Amino acid sequence: MNQQNIRNLTLFDLLARSWTLPSAVEALRFSTDSSVAAFACANGTIALASLADPEPPESRVRVSGDLGQTTIRPREKPAAPLIITERLRDGAPLIAASGQSDFLAGASDGRVVRVTATGEVDNTAIRLNGAIMALDHARGQGLTAASDGADVLLASASDGIVRSLTRHGGGEVAALGFSPSGRQLAVCRGNEISIWTLVGEPALIRTVSFPQPPAAVRWSADSEWIACPLASGGFGVARLTDGKAGTVGDFPAMVRTVSWSERADALIASGAFRIAAWSMKLPPLEGETGGALVTGRPGLVVVEAVAGHPTRPLAAAGFANGQIIVARIGERDELLVKPSGGAVTALAWSADGRHLAAGTADGGASLITFPAQMFK
């Protein structure tokens, strides 16, 4: 490689392992032990990548003795190939982390299957009448929730019992989400989110209504708040102690993802021309806008995906033009990680915050591993 080519390398070229898949990546998850990343593909398969890196960035960093300048050399070997599962359904399978390095996935025939880190697919005891439309797992409680749009089943790993949650409200179930403790379950059905306690017999404890159907649900780390993209634009947010809810609209594009930052005590969202962020000291309830946090730089391309860093007050954003940036929440400066490519459809950080996984509409899958000193 000549010197000119070295100078033209981007941060993505230096830090990422990347692959090209035959169809779009629509969702991704890290395993519970952060050893595997799973990419759900539009052709019905799941692609699995090991986080073990034979050439971690720390091994390629050099500090010159005379000037103290830090450089990083390119990788010398190509990334190990992805493991691809059998086709599970029409469209991207829903996936949830379950065991240490395993995942649960929904199949088109109503099965919930277990997918191992090596790509094997095994049946579980959960089966519904139609294709799985919503799925989540609470590892701490050993509970799995799944729905075919009509019924919601709860399965316990400890006793093997599968039971049906009482129907509440009209419309189809669009999403399920366990609280961080696993003791509560949010069910998005119609224009409502119903919150169920799972301590003892499942019981409905609160219902939150929105003007539009919630398309997903994201709990804050303290389980006090939920946020949800809305099916026809904007997002909703609700405080569970009193059920007070609000919506934020007027986005130039669909809000496809929302994410929480525990360190910044903030909520972030896609759908704007920069990262949209709010301080939860002044939450966006009842038209309140005073908590808005200017984050990153405005541009001409819409943010399609966001992910709050698990241990630092940082947010990653992926744009429709393939750009990926990392910014400190509430500040304008941003780190350009990837300058261009296919539209970013999914972003997620590993639990330790060292790895950022990304998926794109043109089948790109990548793992970006940051040196420990990058975000001091």
Side-chain angles (χ1 to χ4, degrees):
M1 181 180 292
N2 61 41
Q3 191 65 31
Q4 179 65 35
N5 286 337
I6 291 175
R7 283 200 298 268
N8 290 338
L9 289 175
T10 67
L11 196 59
F12 184 82
D13 296 324
L14 294 170
L15 299 183
R17 287 169 284 164
S18 58
W19 302 266
T20 301
L21 294 164
S23 66
V25 174
E26 296 190 6
L28 62 87
R29 295 285 186 275
F30 282 99
S31 61
T32 301
D33 62 2
S34 288
S35 67
V36 181
F39 300 86
C41 302
N43 65 358
T45 65
I46 297 172
L48 302 161
S50 172
L51 268 65
D53 189 350
E55 295 183 89
E58 287 82 2
S59 70
R60 297 180 282 115
V61 169
R62 178 178 177 271
V63 180
S64 63
D66 50 352
L67 299 176
Q69 183 178 13
T70 301
T71 58
I72 182 168
R73 64 172 174 79
R75 296 177 182 274
E76 296 179 352
K77 299 177 181 178
L82 297 174
I83 296 171
I84 312 295
T85 69
E86 65 188 66
R87 184 172 176 272
L88 296 173
R89 59 170 295 159
D90 295 329
L94 296 175
I95 49 176
S98 57
Q100 288 292 320
S101 60
D102 293 348
F103 298 88
L104 295 175
S108 57
D109 59 3
R111 290 177 300 145
V112 173
V113 298
R114 188 173 306 282
V115 179
T116 70
T118 53
E120 284 84 11
V121 176
D122 300 312
N123 289 331
T124 68
I126 308 171
R127 185 157 190 166
L128 289 110
N129 293 324
I132 303 299
M133 305 300 291
L135 177 69
D136 200 13
H137 180 77
R139 182 173 175 270
Q141 301 297 321
L143 290 174
T144 300
S147 175
D148 57 3
D151 297 310
V152 177
L153 294 188
L154 279 175
S156 171
S158 61
D159 55 22
I161 294 176
V162 179
R163 53 189 166 181
S164 181
L165 205 63
T166 304
R167 288 198 190 190
H168 175 82
E172 290 193 344
V173 174
L176 300 167
F178 284 103
S179 64
S181 68
R183 295 178 178 273
Q184 293 174 302
L185 176 68
V187 179
C188 298
R189 187 193 289 270
N191 283 26
E192 296 180 343
I193 296 181
S194 56
I195 310 298
W196 298 74
T197 179
L198 304 178
V199 179
E201 280 297 311
L204 178 65
I205 57 174
R206 185 170 296 284
T207 300
V208 181
S209 297
F210 294 98
Q212 304 159 22
V217 59
R218 299 288 179 265
W219 291 79
S220 62
D222 58 10
S223 298
E224 292 186 7
W225 296 88
I226 53 173
C228 53
L230 299 175
S232 54
F235 71 88
V237 61
R239 183 167 52 208
L240 297 185
T241 53
D242 57 11
K244 186 173 289 188
T247 59
V248 180
D250 297 327
F251 282 81
M254 290 291 295
V255 176
R256 302 188 186 282
T257 58
V258 292
S259 182
W260 295 95
S261 168
E262 183 177 8
R263 287 296 304 274
D265 191 20
L267 171 64
I268 60 177
S270 66
F273 292 112
R274 72 192 319 161
I275 299 170
W278 288 265
S279 168
M280 295 311 290
K281 293 180 174 61
L282 288 171
L285 297 173
E286 299 179 341
E288 172 64 59
T289 59
L293 299 170
V294 175
T295 302
R297 302 170 190 157
L300 300 175
V301 182
V302 168
V303 175
E304 295 283 358
V306 292
H309 194 281
T311 62
R312 298 179 183 274
L314 303 172
F319 292 75
N321 64 352
Q323 188 179 95
I324 297 174
I325 63 106
V326 175
R328 188 172 291 272
I329 296 172
E331 298 184 12
R332 296 177 185 271
D333 288 343
E334 58 187 36
L335 175 69
L336 177 61
V337 177
K338 186 171 184 276
S340 62
V344 178
T345 50
L347 280 178
W349 293 96
S350 60
D352 60 6
R354 289 200 62 227
H355 308 274
L356 177 66
T360 65
D362 61 357
S366 58
L367 285 173
I368 307 161
T369 302
F370 294 95
Q373 62 267 39
M374 178 72 76
F375 300 129
K376 282 187 177 180

